[in-house]
Amino acid sequence: PTIPELEEVLQSAPRSCRHCDEVWPRLYLGDMFMSHNKLGLWQLGVTHVLNAAHGKLCCKGNDDFYGTTVKYYGVPANDLPAFDLSPFFYPAAEFIHQALTSDGRKVFVHCAVGVSRSAALVLAYLMIHHRHSLLSSVRCVQQKRWIFPNRGFLKQLIRLDQKLQGLKE
């Protein structure tokens, strides 16, 4: 799909703006408010946190913040079209995959708002580990949460999709 086609699909989805949504079994996507709610994460049974805005002022997560009961992974991404998120696609997907292949583990992926950086990493996970196309990954997540990765991330996801589908650029 082209960027305008993807943006049309993204725009067409209902806008749900909860702090946290389960977008895949045991995989939650959300915002910084939920990331700071240690009790809420504990009540959900979250065992792993992937922060796609690591080191940004709004998202203060780190290993010390969550303690020994939660495994933490930080991606220091900026939500800018010029930011290259693609080097983080495979490590983030692997972090999610390792957690979800163990019984009972749950992963919370977040950034500031939970619609661009973190959503792009969740889409990459579905593409890499579940062999979904970019479009089917978007539609899968959209059933549970409104997402809108920026144009730069969409371009990078299109390249990943082409690579995974064995197509040449």
Side-chain angles (χ1 to χ4, degrees):
T2 64
I3 288 176
E5 289 168 344
L6 279 172
E7 287 180 331
E8 192 173 312
V9 170
L10 291 164
Q11 287 284 11
S12 70
R15 287 186 172 50
S16 71
C17 280
R18 290 187 296 258
H19 294 300
C20 178
D21 295 286
E22 187 174 16
V23 297
W24 187 258
R26 298 183 291 125
L27 177 59
Y28 297 83
L29 181 57
D31 62 15
M32 65 180 173
F33 177 86
M34 190 64 187
S35 76
H36 297 158
N37 182 352
K38 290 188 267 191
L39 177 61
L41 293 172
W42 177 79
Q43 288 171 329
L44 281 175
V46 168
T47 57
H48 291 66
V49 171
L50 193 167
N51 177 359
H54 177 76
K56 308 303 169 209
L57 288 175
C58 60
C59 297
K60 57 188 173 206
N62 58 40
D63 284 316
D64 294 337
F65 180 75
Y66 293 106
T68 57
T69 58
V70 171
K71 191 166 184 188
Y72 177 84
Y73 182 64
V75 173
N78 292 314
D79 190 13
L80 300 168
F83 184 86
D84 189 2
L85 189 63
S86 64
F88 299 101
F89 286 166
Y90 280 90
E94 197 54 34
F95 177 80
I96 295 168
H97 183 69
Q98 288 297 319
L100 295 182
T101 51
S102 299
D103 284 342
R105 295 195 180 156
K106 295 181 180 181
V107 182
F108 176 62
V109 182
H110 76 91
C111 53
V113 183
V115 298
S116 185
R117 289 170 280 198
S118 55
L121 293 177
V122 167
L123 294 172
Y125 161 74
L126 293 173
M127 293 163 66
I128 292 165
H129 284 284
H130 294 280
R131 305 284 183 247
H132 285 298
S133 68
L134 174 54
L135 202 51
S136 70
S137 297
V138 165
R139 290 201 166 112
C140 174
V141 172
Q142 274 184 327
Q143 291 173 14
K144 307 287 184 171
R145 183 179 183 84
W146 186 77
I147 58 169
F148 208 92
N150 74 46
R151 284 188 151 208
F153 297 165
L154 290 177
K155 277 183 196 166
Q156 295 162 40
L157 288 164
I158 289 169
R159 282 196 298 273
L160 176 65
D161 196 31
Q162 291 169 337
K163 180 182 160 199
L164 292 170
Q165 305 295 334
L167 302 173
K168 291 183 180 170
E169 291 185 37

